[in-house]
Amino acid sequence: FISSHSFNRPTHTMTYSEQRFVTPMSIGIVVFMVTSLMYWGYKKIREPAYKPGCVAKLFEEAEDDGQDAQPTDDGTSRVADDGNDARTWKMPNGMSLFYFSSNSSSSSGTKKTKSSAATSATNTNANANIDTNQNKYPILCLHGGPAIAPSTPWKVFDELAKSHDVDNEVYLYHARGCGKSTRPFSKFPTPGMWPGMKIIEQELGIGAQVADMERIRKDHLKVDRLHLVGHSFGGFIATMYATEFPDRVASLVLMVPAGVLQLPAKNKAENGDIFAMVKEKLAVIEASNLQPEEGQQNLQTEFDAFMKKYLDFGSLPTETDESLAERQYEFAQHYYRADFDGDEAKVKAEMEKVDKSMIGGMACFATFLSMGMEHDYIPECRRRLSGSSFPVSIVHGGKDMIPEYTSRQYMKIFPPHNQPQFHSIPDVGHEIFDHPDAFGIVHETIKRGQSK
């Protein structure tokens, strides 16, 4: 409009030869821009958003700036009473973490006296009132999933809580975004996929979970160190905390820790891809079933169709926390079918134990976004843990569908002077935290940590 009227410039009609040149060039530019944008998005999804050491760096920077990185709450705000000792820890941005505690009651009804660390007065200085009594370091338990919180405490939690030989307080908490902890997103936070994925990862991803552990230690429990017990994906999170804050760990027990230190595995014989394991096992079950039970026809085809939906990150903007939790619940069905060799009675019995309301949909996928499609945490874990001295026990179930080498992979990241010990319990599968031998291993590891 300005060109042809304000300056009275003559209009120009392109010739056919000019159109033949300009049109393909314009299309080429558009194709290049779209392709570049797609590649950028693909690269962002493949790269891990979380890298070991990033959380510790943020805490160090906050302390250097004189900021209090933790809220000042005594951790005793009550939630709805469900018959167990139910409390919450308050975190920044309105987040609260639900937890079971032995300092009032366990699910078995056994009570303990609160330690001085758990009851010390609130102080605006995050470094004040830190309890350095190694015999009082609390035991912090982390559940797996990711984002599948237990509706009742583990049996090993109860055994520790009522043991007269263990004076330490015991805590089992629900990770942010699942169980009875705060769920900040009922639906995808933005219309656009990438901005929303970034928000979800920052609020619910691995870094946020590791930061929660440091806030629990420093601000709520007010102790110098923690004894950590992690199951499955919780074992991986506990390992990341130990990598970030090695001086804050008194002992570490990893029960069948998730095989996600390195994805994909450089050694193909040690691939920790749980999805590939399930598919392979379902193929064996389907091939061996001459007379398949109801629900066991076309196991591979059904699983392939499910995985196409399960890993469809492009659909995230249209999903809700509930719909994503449903995906995780459905995966559990496929997993248990593979784990129990197609025994539908056992699958049904195990699924009845899974409380769908305890699953966090957005939180689960936030951890996937944190890890990306490719990462190798082993070198940085080794480097940061090289000066650590806390005892480590890694436990694997002999009947677990997940191979033993996925648990043994964790032995590689701890220095020899930590004397990491590997334990195999032959008559149990993945739910190892309910086995009697698990208590003995946890108890022995804690004692080793307290003697240092």
Side-chain angles (χ1 to χ4, degrees):
F1 179 85
I2 293 175
S3 297
S4 58
H5 294 276
S6 299
F7 298 99
N8 296 317
R9 293 177 58 183
T11 58
H12 172 68
T13 303
M14 287 191 294
T15 64
Y16 174 70
S17 59
E18 289 175 325
Q19 291 177 359
R20 289 179 62 190
F21 172 75
V22 172
T23 302
M25 182 177 69
S26 301
I27 294 174
I29 292 173
V30 171
V31 169
F32 173 78
M33 292 176 64
V34 171
T35 303
S36 298
L37 185 62
M38 290 176 64
Y39 175 77
W40 178 83
Y42 175 73
K43 186 177 180 181
K44 282 292 182 182
I45 292 175
R46 294 194 71 86
E47 292 178 346
Y50 170 78
K51 296 179 181 179
C54 65
V55 177
K57 183 178 180 181
L58 289 176
F59 273 81
E60 290 170 3
E61 290 175 350
E63 290 183 3
D64 290 342
D65 293 341
Q67 299 175 7
D68 185 1
Q70 291 78 33
T72 53
D73 177 74
D74 63 1
T76 58
S77 53
R78 300 289 295 182
V79 295
D81 186 5
D82 61 356
N84 291 307
D85 177 43
R87 297 172 181 268
T88 58
W89 286 313
K90 291 183 180 179
M91 298 290 158
N93 301 327
M95 298 286 289
S96 293
L97 303 182
F98 171 96
Y99 66 88
F100 299 105
S101 168
S102 66
N103 65 22
S104 178
S105 65
S106 69
S107 62
S108 62
T110 304
K111 294 187 177 181
K112 282 189 174 182
T113 303
K114 289 186 179 182
S115 70
S116 60
T119 57
S120 57
T122 302
N123 193 299
T124 55
N125 184 349
N127 293 308
N129 297 331
I130 297 296
D131 193 333
T132 58
N133 182 353
Q134 64 183 16
N135 292 322
K136 290 295 184 180
Y137 292 154
I139 304 165
L140 189 65
C141 302
L142 292 81
H143 65 79
I148 303 180
S151 55
T152 58
W154 303 335
K155 286 183 180 178
V156 72
F157 173 95
D158 283 342
E159 291 298 318
L160 289 166
K162 67 185 181 183
S163 173
H164 296 294
D165 198 29
V166 179
D167 293 331
N168 314 65
E169 303 302 337
V170 192
Y171 299 88
L172 170 60
Y173 73 99
H174 291 178
R176 58 170 56 208
C178 70
K180 295 183 179 181
S181 292
T182 303
R183 303 189 188 202
F185 309 111
S186 60
K187 60 181 181 180
F188 203 70
T190 64
M193 184 174 73
W194 174 245
M197 289 168 63
K198 188 175 181 181
I199 291 171
I200 288 174
E201 192 282 325
Q202 289 177 341
E203 288 292 323
L204 298 173
I206 294 171
Q209 294 185 45
V210 171
D212 282 343
M213 294 176 67
E214 178 63 357
R215 292 186 180 106
I216 289 170
R217 178 200 70 80
K218 194 173 183 180
D219 189 69
H220 297 288
L221 299 182
K222 296 185 182 296
V223 292
D224 189 52
R225 298 186 184 189
L226 295 167
H227 294 286
L228 300 177
V229 180
H231 172 254
S232 194
F233 199 81
F236 167 72
I237 295 294
T239 302
M240 292 302 101
Y241 177 83
T243 299
E244 297 261 11
F245 303 97
D247 294 339
R248 300 306 182 186
V249 179
S251 70
L252 179 64
V253 179
L254 306 177
M255 298 188 286
V256 285
V260 293
L261 286 176
Q262 183 186 78
L263 288 178
K266 292 182 179 180
N267 182 352
K268 299 299 181 182
E270 296 185 357
N271 186 13
D273 186 344
I274 184 65
F275 305 125
M277 293 177 191
V278 171
K279 181 176 180 178
E280 183 179 340
K281 189 68 176 292
L282 291 175
V284 172
I285 295 170
E286 188 174 348
S288 62
N289 282 350
L290 298 178
Q291 295 180 326
E293 298 180 39
E294 183 179 353
Q296 289 193 2
Q297 298 87 355
N298 305 315
L299 293 181
Q300 292 184 81
T301 303
E302 290 179 4
F303 185 68
D304 286 341
F306 164 73
M307 287 305 300
K308 187 176 181 180
K309 176 182 70 174
Y310 183 76
L311 295 178
D312 181 11
F313 286 87
S315 69
L316 285 179
T318 64
E319 301 291 344
T320 64
D321 187 70
E322 187 177 356
S323 66
L324 292 176
E326 186 66 39
R327 287 192 197 180
Q328 191 73 337
Y329 182 81
E330 190 175 345
F331 173 73
Q333 289 180 306
H334 291 286
Y335 174 84
Y336 284 126
R337 183 168 288 121
D339 196 28
F340 293 126
D341 297 316
D343 188 328
E344 291 301 317
K346 289 184 178 180
V347 173
K348 182 179 179 181
E350 200 63 36
M351 288 305 298
E352 288 175 352
K353 300 178 185 178
V354 180
D355 187 344
K356 195 182 296 187
S357 68
M358 294 290 103
I359 302 175
M362 293 289 177
C364 172
F365 283 83
T367 61
F368 295 161
L369 295 173
S370 291
M371 294 185 291
M373 298 174 68
E374 294 180 359
H375 67 260
D376 184 2
Y377 292 149
I378 292 177
E380 186 62 13
C381 286
R382 281 176 175 165
R383 188 187 72 80
R384 296 185 66 89
L385 289 166
S386 61
S388 63
S389 59
F390 53 83
V392 180
S393 290
I394 300 169
V395 196
H396 192 82
K399 291 186 177 180
D400 198 329
M401 179 196 70
I402 299 174
E404 186 176 295
Y405 62 70
T406 60
S407 293
R408 285 192 177 276
Q409 187 181 55
Y410 282 75
M411 295 285 286
K412 301 177 182 178
I413 65 174
F414 298 102
H417 58 256
N418 281 57
Q419 297 181 328
Q421 297 182 1
F422 190 88
H423 305 265
S424 180
I425 304 177
D427 59 340
V428 67
H430 198 65
E431 312 305 314
I432 204 167
F433 47 74
D434 284 340
H435 195 279
D437 290 354
F439 166 74
I441 295 169
V442 172
H443 179 252
E444 183 271 337
T445 308
I446 290 172
K447 289 298 182 183
R448 286 166 54 203
Q450 290 180 166
S451 66
K452 283 187 172 292

